[in-house]
């Protein structure tokens, strides 16, 4: 489970609720028509903007960010070095056997292509296309949350304008101004909460996830190409280490 | 018919109307001069910005988003694999016969060029130019809606400023302040609705449509080039699958 | 004359004036010091930002958008096809005679270079440099209008702040608050009008003009290079058609 | 002296002062603590953002924009054509003598490299690196002014918030509200003036200067490379003319 | 210690405190629930957006900007020229001995690769990958501060909306309006301070640091490649000087 996402959202919402309750009853912040115009309207905008399928896909991906655990990049480099040594000693076909222990589908595909005898350049080209379109698909998830983070405050403003116009039309009763304006502001409040506490950070998280997945896949391509071209394992390790921070580099040789 | 667009716009407008009616008569939100300054002014700005032709083209394209249904990308890959097998068995000229069953103009053109014996590189170059300029033309449609989404709130602000200045000049009668200000805010309200409930999501939809059309056409180019260069059908299928999500990949071989 | 620009600006201003007059005398929207601070200040900012020459050039170009009429792209393709046929039959030097009927300077220059016997690659390189720097120069025109559209509201805000500070300092006389605030808001109003009804759409128009001019010139380069390399006219026409929308493509062959 | 910068800033400030004085005493717009929080705070932000050296460099460069006079681009082309003719007649080494009359350091360096017998490609590579890093350094100057134009209004808002909070805490005395709010608004006013009348146009000017300097240097590289490769002077002139507007092109041949 | 960062932050905070104290007690600007909702909420958003590790890394890097001192770029060029002369006279292996005096890890790695006999192109490729991923990692630090600078004002607005709604609901007691509103504005104030006085300039500083580090590393790559290919030291120095401002160029030859 991704603790940082859960803690972060919990902290932000918890502190907000605390601030609300400390100042008065929570009930004055709950107004069904206001929730409907902001949540429903934003959902409507999103459905016009994106096809059904993409929106539900994005929600599914968002759920995954609460459960997902990244595999350390060092383990991947170690695994690739192991395959390199195996391929050097027993030939490239020996990777066939090693594939059963591999969980990552992308690495499996790359190994299958290597075992199938494809050229290093073909392998790189095809896998690069795959990375490029993975980025486009992942980008759409982040995009949808970014769009919601833009539509929610806009619908909040629409709701507040409606409330203001109605309030101003019956300004005769001054005692009703305060509560009417408070209700009018609620939609702006909902919009700000949806945008800033939920959707904007979520979009950021999805972008970060995508970036680290692309880094993983880029390392796999570099590694498999080194293996296919029978490069010196030390050079290969140096190449793979160039992608990560110096303090994360644990050589399999100097140990 | 594109249900998601229709439902989305319906939901957003419906919820907004509900919120309005619940708080008072709908009539206080209708003001002809305010509508004229926002809608007419925005239309004026748009005509200065874009030529007549482009604006009407954009409206036509927008209408299409309500009616359009995408063809599944899997069917296209299946069709391309079929052509590849046909071309391998009966020669490239056999595609001439298969062209009659093809509806997509771009695929038809690509096949005609292949049958005419053009080089794979010429075919790719010419079709890539075509995709590039399709993107530019489609981009203009989305651009126009994005511009309207920027002009409408600006005209709304101009209208509200006019109303405020007029109201402030005759501040002597306090009872008129409320309704006058309500009317002044209406243009801001119209601008926000036009921008956020209609134009911004519409611009987004057009961008998404363009992206999925470009993906379709890119697959056609890749596929036709594989066919022309007589590539192994399994490799060709792997190449085409690299463009789509793993769970959408249905091999014609493993079945 | 470019009707769309004239109609657009006319409609936006007309509707605005109508809304003003309907609500009270036009005179309350005219305030000389406010006009001076917004118009003069914006002009000052613009002169700091851009050299004299560029600003006057931009105004001249803007005037041209009221008078300019685009030549249809189909006629250009037809003309290029005609030259291709002439060159195929009578040799490239025959274009010398055809040049007298050509009005476009860029096409004339391209033909002169072809007649002078320059290599296709030199021709393409030199004309591409020319297009690149035409884009930079045109971009500056649009840039200047975009900058004015940013400076005018800023000067409007400065003016309104001046008015507000002065009003607040003498708050003792409540009856003067309304009119003083109305006057303070006028600079914001002027800034919004200059930015949104004049300059932003104008900048957009200049960008669109530049894009369509670049498309024309790109077609000329492609066409002349096809002619120079003696390409098959049908292929050449297909290449040129790839740049334009399918429904605009009128073949000179199928007729 | 760059008249346009001086006139522009003079006009903007003059009109603003006029508007102020016309409405009341200038003194109500001067408040030492407000000036300190906006000017000092902005300077503080800028020192955190950029190293000392860069900030002072930017101020020096800004001063130069008041004094600088551009050399006409036509003269440069004429000079390059002269060198081309000299090199054709007397050999490339003859440029050694011509170097004494050259003032521009970049042109001098290019000529020295040509005289030293460096390859056209080495010359282009090294000078392009130089242009690239000149752009980065110049860009930093514009960047600093752009940052100040962002920090000043932010500090203005911070100052206004401080004033508002203090005013609201002692709301009991209604007669003090007006003047207190006027003072609170002053920091917003200072921020807007610093950003919009000084820094944003200045950043624009620096960008324009950098662009025209890069154009000059690009022409020098193109010209020297033509000279080194002994290109036909007419072709060389055509190449150089491609960088500038048609109406500025004055051939040294047709005269 | 980086004096400019310390002085800058000190000046901005000092002037702000001065302005506060001059207008009333500091205590009215301190409100624990308001601090909790802005600081805690922003921290929560940031933890959703970025993994734990990246956030703590960013804080560590930020601390470094208070302590870090850049090495002058001239010394680096001098050092590289020294190595070039040594390598010319005593062979590339002589760099092994010189490595002990080198502190920079990147330069050490480049020298080790040269001594190990790697090809100039391999060296450039691997070190360029390293620079590219250093930029990505550094970029993340600046990114995190930029995100905080966006979340803090958003949380400030959420806090102010909560305060406003609660205040408007109990508008019956007019004397409480002022102080209640003052408290409501505090969260906006905190958000503005965190964003504009702390995080935005800090993000800028990190970007500048990253840029100057990349410049240093680019010079190392250029220099080592010149050394490996046995280039003339004068040419090598000219190449390295192309990266820096003319007035910083101190030749080791003309001295």
């Amino acid at each position: 489970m991704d603790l940082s996402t859960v803690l972060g959202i919990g902290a932000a919402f918890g502190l907000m609720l605390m601030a609300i309750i400390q100042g008065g009853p929570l009930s004055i912040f709950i107004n069904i028509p206001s929730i409907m115009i902001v949540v429903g309207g934003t959902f409507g905008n999103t459905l016009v903007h994106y096809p059904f399928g993409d929106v539900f896909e994005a929600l599914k991906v968002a759920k995954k960010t609460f459960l997902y655990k990244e595999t350390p990049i060092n383990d991947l480099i170690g695994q690739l070095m192991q395959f390199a040594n195996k391929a050097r000693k027993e030939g490239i076909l020996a990777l066939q056997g090693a594939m059963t222990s591999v969980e990552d589908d992308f690495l499996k595909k790359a190994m299958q292509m290597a075992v199938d005898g494809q050229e290093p350049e073909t392998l790189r080209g095809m896998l690069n296309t795959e990375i490029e379109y993975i980025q486009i698909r992942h980008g759409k998830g982040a995009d949808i949350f970014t769009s919601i983070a833009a539509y929610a405050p806009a619908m909040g403003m629409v709701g507040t304008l409606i409330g203001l116009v109605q309030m101003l039309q019956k300004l005769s009763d001054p005692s009703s101004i305060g509560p009417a304006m408070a209700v009018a502001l609620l939609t702006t409040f909902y919009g700000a909460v949806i945008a800033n506490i939920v959707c904007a950070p979520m979009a950021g998280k999805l972008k970060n996830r995508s970036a680290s997945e692309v880094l993983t896949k880029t390392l796999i391509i570099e590694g498999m190409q080194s293996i296919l071209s029978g490069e010196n394992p030390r050079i290969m390790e140096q190449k793979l280490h160039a992608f990560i921070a110096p303090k994360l580099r644990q050589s399999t040789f100097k140990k």
Side-chain angles (χ1 to χ4, degrees), chain A:
Chain A
M1 205 167 91
D2 177 38
L3 213 62
S4 136
T5 305
V6 178
L7 276 184
I9 274 205
F13 266 101
L15 289 164
M16 192 181 76
L17 281 179
M18 230 179 65
I20 286 179
I21 288 166
Q22 201 207 33
L26 178 60
S27 61
I28 63 173
F29 283 87
I30 294 169
N31 182 285
I32 303 298
S34 300
I35 290 175
M36 274 171 60
I37 197 171
V38 178
V39 175
T42 300
F43 193 64
N45 292 344
T46 310
L47 280 187
V48 175
H49 193 146
Y50 299 95
F52 267 128
D54 289 358
V55 176
F56 292 125
E57 184 70 26
L59 294 177
K60 247 171 63 187
V61 169
K63 205 190 69 188
K64 245 174 60 182
T65 68
F66 282 93
L67 305 171
Y68 178 81
K69 221 183 141 304
E70 283 184 58
T71 41
I73 203 130
N74 268 327
D75 294 5
L76 173 66
I77 294 183
Q79 205 178 15
L80 288 168
M81 291 311 299
Q82 219 178 302
F83 293 161
N85 286 321
K86 202 179 183 102
R88 260 173 99 79
K89 284 182 207 138
E90 315 171 25
I92 200 84
L93 290 180
L95 294 183
Q96 183 85 56
M99 275 175 62
T100 50
S101 68
V102 171
E103 279 180 36
D104 186 290
D105 283 336
F106 191 83
L107 177 52
K108 235 180 195 156
K109 183 172 181 186
M111 290 171 79
Q112 185 62 59
M113 286 172 75
V115 168
D116 287 356
Q118 299 205 0
E119 294 296 309
E121 272 322 301
T122 314
L123 179 140
R124 173 185 284 270
M126 213 180 284
L127 294 179
N128 271 340
T129 303
E130 188 136 359
I131 286 186
E132 193 187 328
Y133 282 86
I134 284 172
Q135 274 182 299
I136 291 175
R137 286 192 301 270
H138 280 206
K140 192 170 272 178
D143 229 52
I144 288 176
F145 277 96
T146 305
S147 294
I148 299 180
Y151 289 134
M155 289 311 294
M157 193 182 90
V158 166
T160 296
L161 282 169
I162 292 175
L164 281 180
V165 168
Q166 289 174 336
M167 179 197 88
L168 288 164
Q169 282 288 7
K170 34 187 173 179
L171 210 57
S172 47
D173 174 9
S175 77
S176 74
I177 293 178
M181 192 137 168
V183 170
L185 279 179
L186 278 183
T187 54
T188 293
F189 171 71
Y190 296 150
V193 168
I194 292 173
N196 298 304
I197 306 193
V198 184
C199 292
M202 217 59 186
K205 164 126 289 171
L206 292 181
K207 269 184 221 156
N208 281 328
R209 278 284 148 79
S210 174
S212 80
E213 213 176 315
V214 166
L215 176 59
T216 303
K217 287 181 171 39
T218 306
L219 274 171
I220 290 173
I221 295 183
E222 286 298 322
M224 285 313 295
Q225 214 183 14
S226 281
I227 292 173
L228 267 187
S229 48
E231 204 164 35
N232 178 314
R234 280 177 192 270
I235 305 274
M236 171 176 162
E237 194 183 66
Q238 255 182 318
K239 270 195 186 161
L240 297 183
H241 277 167
F243 288 87
I244 64 174
K247 66 179 176 197
L248 293 176
R249 294 173 194 168
Q250 296 166 350
S251 177
T252 55
F253 295 101
K254 289 181 194 151
K255 266 194 259 187

